[in-house]
């Protein structure tokens, strides 16, 4: 198998080849959808893939990370490349729509020029376009679909279930879906999805007898070829999220069971095996090197927009590893040429969903309007105006996270504040109104209680070290995803390459070293412990925003980084 790089550049870089500059207003709109999304059919087995849309039904702005550090084998390779490093590796030109889609470079001016991305009505148009030339194509949903917006929270995921059924999803796996609770997930799978969507997860089993909770995989025949799609839910769901939502289920990576599942699917005649994964990119890369017989891993969880697959060698051949970004801003298209019972070649594209160029699908647009109608008043409440860009994504702090910790410290009269390193959350441009919908985009979970705790300096360091290890452990199987906890009030340094327990250094409050024995007042939100209670974080931050009215650009309380000079996972 081999990527047709010439075609990749031709299709993905049409605007770049034309020298489209950031200061050419309306440049994207001037492009033809037929030109930008012309992707001739290749082969006879076809998969379409989106993941981590986080319940964003409408087009959004989303700033890609300027810091996504990788170390050891991960350093210098995707997904741990940002900015110009990423563009060079992908063969994309700066100051183009593709640079805007895949990087954070010139985000404000690029967003003003090229507009919002994603939106299910525009995604639906692209899905229909791709399916029209690909008979039998399967649409795969990688999970984190029923959570991340106000309407998803208020409807217990029903808005997204209805939208995905209308979109034509064929197969799905999960992560944040589980925070609706096991009974709600089962209800959707048994009722809404019955006979329509295969919900697959080889790694979710009962705690008592180890029985499969959901089908581990599904078999389909496509154009005379037997294909199997195996599901891999997020392995650390009961750790990263509250265990009480899924008290009777176990998760985990379950590599040995994965190999058995692949072998079983092959024994039943599958000529193509695809893993629909919510492991995260680095975990998928390791799994691809150790499990034989998977042709491609179409992954999610870490929100990495991968312009091209990583080809991983293993004992059984080669496996393609991809990740399709987040917020419904990309659609992955994977075509296989299967002849003589074997894959002879492939074609892969990760197509950005530009809402200014892809027209909205009328049926989906009407459905979204109906879904949102009962909530428009609450969604459109104007809380404040931001003078600076508000965003979340990045290994350390983001300006929307900074706003949240600033508000928590102010309202709760705390010395320090923590905000989870969630990777979901949309972006706002300077001089934009901050609506309740935007605040909910950052905070809408089923356990968004605020907390105020008395914590010793030693406990604070332990918390920080645990989160840092989740992010920077050199073994991907011990990385639980997400970014570093966001910190307000306290400054610190971090050495990502140090050993567990030694990464967090030079912790200070008001310039004075944190005392391990001293107790500090710490505010936070989204506790995973059962029985936690407190005012919803959107009420706390909403009250603060209303009182501020105008939000000055946030000064990021970013840590001092040690030993990362020259790392291509951060902007120069």
């Amino acid at each position: 198998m081999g990527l047709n790089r010439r075609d990749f550049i031709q299709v993905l870089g049409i605007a770049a080849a034309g020298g489209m500059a950031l200061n050419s207003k309306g440049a994207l709109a001037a492009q033809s959808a037929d030109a930008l999304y012309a992707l001739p059919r290749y082969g006879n087995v076809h998969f379409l893939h989106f993941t981590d849309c986080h319940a964003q039904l409408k087009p959004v702005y989303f700033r890609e990370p300027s810091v996504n550090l990788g170390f050891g084998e991960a350093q210098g390779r995707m997904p741990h490349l940002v900015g110009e490093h990423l563009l060079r590796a992908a063969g994309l030109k700066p100051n183009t729509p593709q640079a805007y889609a895949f990087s954070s470079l010139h985000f404000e001016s690029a967003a003003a020029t090229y507009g919002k991305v994603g939106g299910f009505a525009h995604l639906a148009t692209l899905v229909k376009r791709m399916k029209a030339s690909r008979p039998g194509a399967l649409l795969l949903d990688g999970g984190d679909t029923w959570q991340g917006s106000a309407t998803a929270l208020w409807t217990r995921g029903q808005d997204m279930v209805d939208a995905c059924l209308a979109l034509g999803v064929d197969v799905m796996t999960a992560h944040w879906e589980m925070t609706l609770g096991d009974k709600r997930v089962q209800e959707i799978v048994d009722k809404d999805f019955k006979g329509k969507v295969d919900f697959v997860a080889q790694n979710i089993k009962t705690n008592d007898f180890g029985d499969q909770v959901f089908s581990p995989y599904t078999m389909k025949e496509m154009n005379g070829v037997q294909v199997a799609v195996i599901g891999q839910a997020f392995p650390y769901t009961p750790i990263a999220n509250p265990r009480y939502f899924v008290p009777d289920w176990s998760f985990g990576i379950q590599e040995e069971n994965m190999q058995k599942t692949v072998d079983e699917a092959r024994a039943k005649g599958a000529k193509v095996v695809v893993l629909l994964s919510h492991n995260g990119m680095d975990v998928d890369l390791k799994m691809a090197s150790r499990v034989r017989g998977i042709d491609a891993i179409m992954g999610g969880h870490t929100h990495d927009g991968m312009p091209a697959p990583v080809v991983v060698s293993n004992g059984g051949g080669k496996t393609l590893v991809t990740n399709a970004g987040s917020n419904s801003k990309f659609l992955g298209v994977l075509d296989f040429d299967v002849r003589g019972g074997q894959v002879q070649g492939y074609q892969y594209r990760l197509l950005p969903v530009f809402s200014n160029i892809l027209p909205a699908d009328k049926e989906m647009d009407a459905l979204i309007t109906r879904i949102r109608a009962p909530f428009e008043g609450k969604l459109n409440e104007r809380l404040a105006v931001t003078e600076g860009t508000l965003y979340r994504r990045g290994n350390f702090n983001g300006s929307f996270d900074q706003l949240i910790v600033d508000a928590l410290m102010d309202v709760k009269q705390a010395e320090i504040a923590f905000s989870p390193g969630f990777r979901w959350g949309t972006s706002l441009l300077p001089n934009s109104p901050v609506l309740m919908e935007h605040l909910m985009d950052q905070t809408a979970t089923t356990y968004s209680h605020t907390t105020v705790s008395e914590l010793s300096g030693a406990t604070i360091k332990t918390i920080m070290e645990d989160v840092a290890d989740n992010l920077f452990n050199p073994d991907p199987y011990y990385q639980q995803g997400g970014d570093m906890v966001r910190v307000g009030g306290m400054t610190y340094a971090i050495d990502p390459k140090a050993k567990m327990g030694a990464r967090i250094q030079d912790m200070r409050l008001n310039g004075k070293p944190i005392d391990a024995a001293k107790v500090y007042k710490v505010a936070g939100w989204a506790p995973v412990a059962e029985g936690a209670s407190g005012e919803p974080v959107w009420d706390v931050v909403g009250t603060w925003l209303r009182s501020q009215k105008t939000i000055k650009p946030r000064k990021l309380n970013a840590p001092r980084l040690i030993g990362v000079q020259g790392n291509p996972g951060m902007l120069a």
Side-chain angles (χ1 to χ4, degrees):
M1 296 186 296
L3 181 66
N4 187 326
R5 187 174 179 85
R6 182 187 64 184
D7 288 347
F8 172 76
I9 297 300
Q10 182 180 1
V11 174
L12 193 59
I14 284 175
M20 190 184 300
L22 283 173
N23 59 5
S24 64
K25 290 288 184 182
L28 182 61
Q31 291 293 301
S32 162
D34 288 336
L36 192 59
Y37 295 104
L39 186 55
R41 173 187 175 184
Y42 174 87
N44 52 349
V45 173
H46 316 288
F47 300 97
L48 311 179
H49 175 229
F50 73 97
T51 189
D52 296 276
C53 72
H54 284 286
Q56 295 302 323
L57 289 174
K58 300 287 284 185
V60 299
Y61 292 112
F62 184 77
R63 182 187 184 274
E64 295 293 334
S66 53
V67 181
N68 188 357
L69 295 171
F71 300 97
E73 292 183 359
Q75 183 166 335
R77 75 178 187 188
M78 293 185 187
H80 300 288
L81 300 173
V82 301
E84 293 180 355
H85 305 292
L86 172 63
L87 298 187
R88 282 196 297 270
L92 303 176
K93 291 186 177 181
N95 301 333
T96 63
Q98 287 69 34
Y100 167 52
F102 287 99
S103 79
S104 62
L105 293 173
H106 313 295
F107 173 71
E108 290 83 3
S109 56
T113 299
Y114 302 128
K116 294 183 177 181
V117 294
F120 259 51
H122 306 275
L123 177 62
T125 296
L126 185 55
V127 167
K128 287 181 178 179
R129 181 185 291 267
M130 293 298 110
K131 281 194 170 185
S133 61
R134 289 165 170 77
L138 294 175
L139 178 59
L140 311 182
D141 175 356
D144 279 7
T145 304
W146 309 345
Q147 177 276 335
S149 73
T151 57
L153 180 67
W154 296 335
T155 66
R156 299 177 66 225
Q158 194 64 47
D159 62 335
M160 298 309 302
V161 171
D162 294 344
C164 286
L165 289 172
L167 190 65
V169 169
D170 295 294
V171 189
M172 180 183 182
T173 196
H175 169 205
W176 271 92
E177 286 72 16
M178 300 301 164
T179 61
L180 295 175
D182 51 2
K183 291 180 176 59
R184 176 60 175 150
V185 173
Q186 287 278 24
E187 178 185 35
I188 292 171
V189 173
D190 294 342
K191 294 180 179 179
D192 298 85
F193 280 7
K194 187 176 181 179
K196 299 174 183 176
V197 179
D198 292 311
F199 193 91
V200 292
Q202 72 87 22
N203 61 329
I204 302 181
K205 300 181 180 181
T206 59
N207 286 331
D208 48 9
F209 299 110
D211 296 328
Q212 292 283 166
V213 177
F214 306 102
S215 298
Y217 64 96
T218 182
M219 295 278 288
K220 306 282 187 181
E221 183 177 317
M222 189 187 308
N223 303 317
V225 179
Q226 285 287 336
V227 304
V229 180
I230 301 172
Q232 176 85 345
F234 180 52
Y236 294 107
T237 295
I239 300 173
N241 306 108
R243 152 58 80 185
Y244 58 82
F245 288 130
V246 286
D248 301 321
W249 298 348
S250 67
F251 291 72
I253 292 173
Q254 299 191 25
E255 183 184 281
E256 290 185 9
N257 195 61
M258 177 66 74
Q259 186 65 70
K260 292 177 182 177
T261 305
V262 173
D263 293 343
E264 179 180 316
R266 290 286 185 186
K268 289 185 176 180
K271 304 304 179 186
V272 175
V273 175
V274 166
L275 174 59
L276 179 60
S277 166
H278 206 91
N279 278 333
M281 188 70 189
D282 288 338
V283 178
D284 282 336
L285 288 168
K286 180 174 179 178
M287 178 171 280
S289 73
R290 295 163 63 93
V291 177
R292 306 174 309 277
I294 301 174
D295 292 296
I297 300 179
M298 306 193 83
H301 181 60
T302 40
H303 294 199
D304 301 308
M306 295 287 293
V310 176
V311 182
V312 179
S313 297
N314 53 55
K318 297 183 184 299
T319 299
L320 309 176
V321 181
T322 72
N323 197 294
S326 65
N327 288 276
S328 71
K329 67 178 288 190
F330 293 107
L331 180 69
V333 183
L334 176 61
D335 299 321
F336 284 113
D337 177 18
V338 182
R339 287 176 283 127
Q342 293 186 330
V343 173
Q344 303 296 330
Y346 75 94
Q347 172 181 263
Y348 179 78
R349 306 289 186 274
L350 186 59
L351 299 175
V353 179
F354 293 116
S355 61
N356 279 0
I357 187 170
L358 283 167
D361 177 77
K362 291 182 179 180
E363 290 80 8
M364 182 65 78
D365 198 43
L367 174 62
I368 294 170
T369 298
R370 290 196 301 272
I371 287 171
R372 291 171 56 89
F375 310 108
E376 288 289 0
K378 288 194 289 184
L379 294 172
N380 290 315
E381 181 191 355
R382 186 183 177 113
L383 302 175
V385 174
T386 178
E387 293 184 348
T389 299
L390 293 179
Y391 67 93
R392 167 171 282 165
R393 182 71 177 91
N395 279 166
F396 298 103
N397 212 347
S399 52
F400 220 131
D401 297 300
Q402 188 67 50
L403 182 154
I404 291 171
V405 295
D406 288 348
L408 286 172
M409 288 189 295
D410 194 1
V411 175
K412 300 296 185 181
Q413 295 297 291
E415 300 168 277
I416 298 169
F418 287 155
S419 187
F422 294 143
R423 293 192 172 191
W424 48 271
T426 58
S427 305
L428 284 176
L429 298 183
N431 303 312
S432 297
V434 183
L435 306 180
M436 178 57 75
E437 178 166 21
H438 302 137
L439 175 56
M440 295 299 289
D441 285 349
Q442 308 292 323
T443 59
T445 83
T446 52
Y447 57 101
S448 292
H449 317 290
T450 52
T451 61
V452 177
S453 307
E454 300 288 334
L455 301 179
S456 69
T459 299
I460 292 171
K461 186 176 191 300
T462 297
I463 292 170
M464 299 281 286
E465 290 284 1
D466 284 347
V467 180
D469 194 60
N470 289 341
L471 181 60
F472 294 118
N473 191 296
D475 186 343
Y477 278 9
Y478 289 92
Q479 296 172 7
Q480 296 174 18
D483 285 312
M484 189 63 193
V485 63
R486 282 46 170 133
V487 183
M490 183 188 78
T491 62
Y492 70 101
I494 182 170
D495 182 351
K497 292 187 287 187
K499 293 182 179 180
M500 171 65 174
R503 292 188 179 96
I504 305 300
Q505 305 173 22
D506 194 27
M507 299 163 54
R508 294 176 178 269
L509 183 64
N510 300 322
K512 298 180 179 179
I514 292 288
D515 185 336
K518 184 178 177 180
V519 171
Y520 299 87
K521 186 177 181 180
V522 182
W525 67 283
V528 298
E530 188 169 6
S533 62
E535 190 178 5
V537 68
W538 49 80
D539 284 351
V540 174
V541 178
T543 298
W544 183 83
L545 286 168
R546 293 183 191 99
S547 70
Q548 299 293 309
K549 294 185 175 58
T550 299
I551 306 302
K552 298 293 183 182
R554 298 290 94 186
K555 181 180 179 181
L556 295 184
N557 182 35
R560 177 170 57 86
L561 303 182
I562 300 171
V564 301
Q565 290 76 13
N567 191 302
M570 60 189 300
L571 294 182

